[in-house]
Amino acid sequence: MPSDHPRANNDAGNGGGDMEWVETTGRTIEEALDAALDRLGVHEEEVEYSVVAEPRSGLFGRFGGSEARIRARVKPISREKPNPQRRRRTARTERARSGGRGAGRGGRGDGSERAVPKTDADGGNAVVATVADEDADDGEPERPVGAKRRRRRRKPARVEATGDEGAAMEREAEVPIEEQAEAAEIFTRGVIEAFGTPAQVEAQVTPDDGNVTVEITGENLGLLVGPKGATLQALEELVRTVVQRQTGGHGVRINVDVAGYRAKRRAALEEFTRDVARRVIETGRDHALEPMSSGDRKVVHDVAAEIEGVETISEGEDPRRRVVIRPA
Amino acid sequence: MADFIGEIEGPVLDLGAGGGVPGLVLAEAWAGQSVTLLDAMHRRCVFLETAVSKLGLAARTTVREGRAEELARRDSMRSGFAMVVARGFGPPAVTAECAAGFLRAGGRLVVSEPPEPRAERWPDDGLSRLGLQHVRTERVHDAGFVELRLVGEPAPQWPRRTGVPSKRPLW
């Protein structure tokens, strides 16, 4: 329902006509904006809008509960026109930066400025952490210490070495992978039994990368996945920790999947990435995605790398680190 | 929009046809009218092709995939249309610049506007550089429209290279 807004009369240079604000809703701010554009019959660059209500963000910011609500109108034309070109460009940059598409709540400046110092800082931390660790570990029993120390060291080392997401880790397991897979399977089965859900558990070693995948199959396993996979995530973390404690093994990545949930989610994320990449190519503008876990970010990086015309960078710090897809 | 446009006398182009509004709707409404739907995005063109054949309009409706700035320089499309329509294609300056290359002398450009249309969005000095002339701005039902006319031949320098019209708009 279009409504005249009191502020409209104060706007400079609206030519005396009534300024129409429209209020629209959508599952995302973007959808609400689309609805507003449709109502106004103009292009995205011609409107300005304010967010009345943020959507409750869900998976990739796509599926959520409450709707987004925005108010939009066609930008008034200012009478004094010093340099229309610059004005327009500024407006666009601002929008890109502020992540008007609901991506930029953690809003920081420009990604490229930050990327370098960030890596540096991490590298620095890594050194400090390792040294401190070794000091503290002196004289303690061999196995748990080793596990603990290396577990901590691994993460920073990864950042330092590659500066990239989820890069392949060095394989240095003294404990045979098969043994770890077995431990993972036994522990997972125990947890599932405690849940009281009948299900099959099978751990397998993926031949090409040596990762362990624990596959849980059965009926009605929604409980094990949880909202947005949170329960599954937690279960996986538990399995990893326990296996590392029990076997002293590390450097082996253990994945837990329930009824093919991860595969499905990955497919959805890949499709989503291609979608966004297409839009980036078409509009020539950066697009920041919702913050995601490192695994998800890697999927995005990998998929985008195969698409000509776009490149990706990660910016921000966990847990709000996010991928930005931009024109190459 | 059809009410606003009235009579048409020659082939029509929908600039940035997208989901089919207004081009596909107009093609359906005007029996016997030749309509070309242009869009830069492959996925939307695929959709439009499907829609065109489902509606049985294939004989007189063409879907073209590509950037308006480039297609406006093709011999087959340049100055090839009696009318260009656009909805949500871009800011007025971009729409006008891209459309000018497709219009034949005397051809009309009809663009959707906000429900409260404002004439100053289409300033005369900017339009005259493109050889366009403002004809009328009206509100029909619940939507606004503006009609422009190309006086004489389109100037050869318009539109500029891909992306330039929106990066450095004429006004």
Side-chain angles (χ1 to χ4, degrees), chain A residues 13-15 18-20 38-43 45-46 74-77 84-85 88-89 92 275 278 282, chain B residues 39-41 43-44 67 87-92 112-116 118 120-121 139 166-169 171:
Chain A
N14 73 18
D18 279 341
M19 194 66 55
E20 289 237 5
D38 194 49
R39 188 89 60 77
L40 293 170
V42 296
H43 188 256
E45 291 186 8
E46 297 177 79
V74 176
K75 279 179 205 161
I77 299 159
Q85 295 163 12
R88 216 176 272 271
R89 199 173 298 154
R92 188 181 310 156
D275 220 50
R278 268 194 292 269
E282 200 200 356
Chain B
D39 205 288
M41 203 173 178
R43 196 178 35 164
R44 290 198 291 250
R67 296 285 303 191
R87 176 179 170 84
F89 177 76
S112 73
E113 282 283 277
E116 302 289 340
R118 280 169 286 135
E120 68 270 23
R121 281 163 52 83
R139 180 172 175 154
S166 52
K167 267 194 194 119
R168 290 196 287 278
W171 66 84

Side-chain angles (χ1 to χ4, degrees), chain B residues 31 42 60 66 74 86 90 93 108 110 116:
Chain B
H42 179 68
R60 55 189 175 86
R74 297 269 174 86
R108 299 149 76 196
V110 174
E116 302 289 340

Side-chain angles (χ1 to χ4, degrees), chain A residues 40-42 46, chain B residues 1 3-5 22 83-88 90-93 95-96 99 103 107-124 127 132-140 143-149 171:
Chain A
L40 293 170
V42 296
E46 297 177 79
Chain B
M1 195 171 201
D3 284 350
F4 176 83
I5 290 170
M83 168 166 298
V84 174
V85 295
R87 176 179 170 84
T95 309
L103 286 170
R108 299 149 76 196
L109 166 62
V110 174
V111 185
S112 73
E113 282 283 277
E116 302 289 340
R118 280 169 286 135
E120 68 270 23
R121 281 163 52 83
W122 305 86
D124 287 339
L127 289 176
L132 290 166
Q133 199 175 60
H134 183 258
V135 178
R136 62 198 167 115
T137 302
E138 274 169 31
R139 180 172 175 154
V140 182
F145 297 101
V146 61
E147 177 180 340
L148 311 162
R149 186 176 292 275
W171 66 84

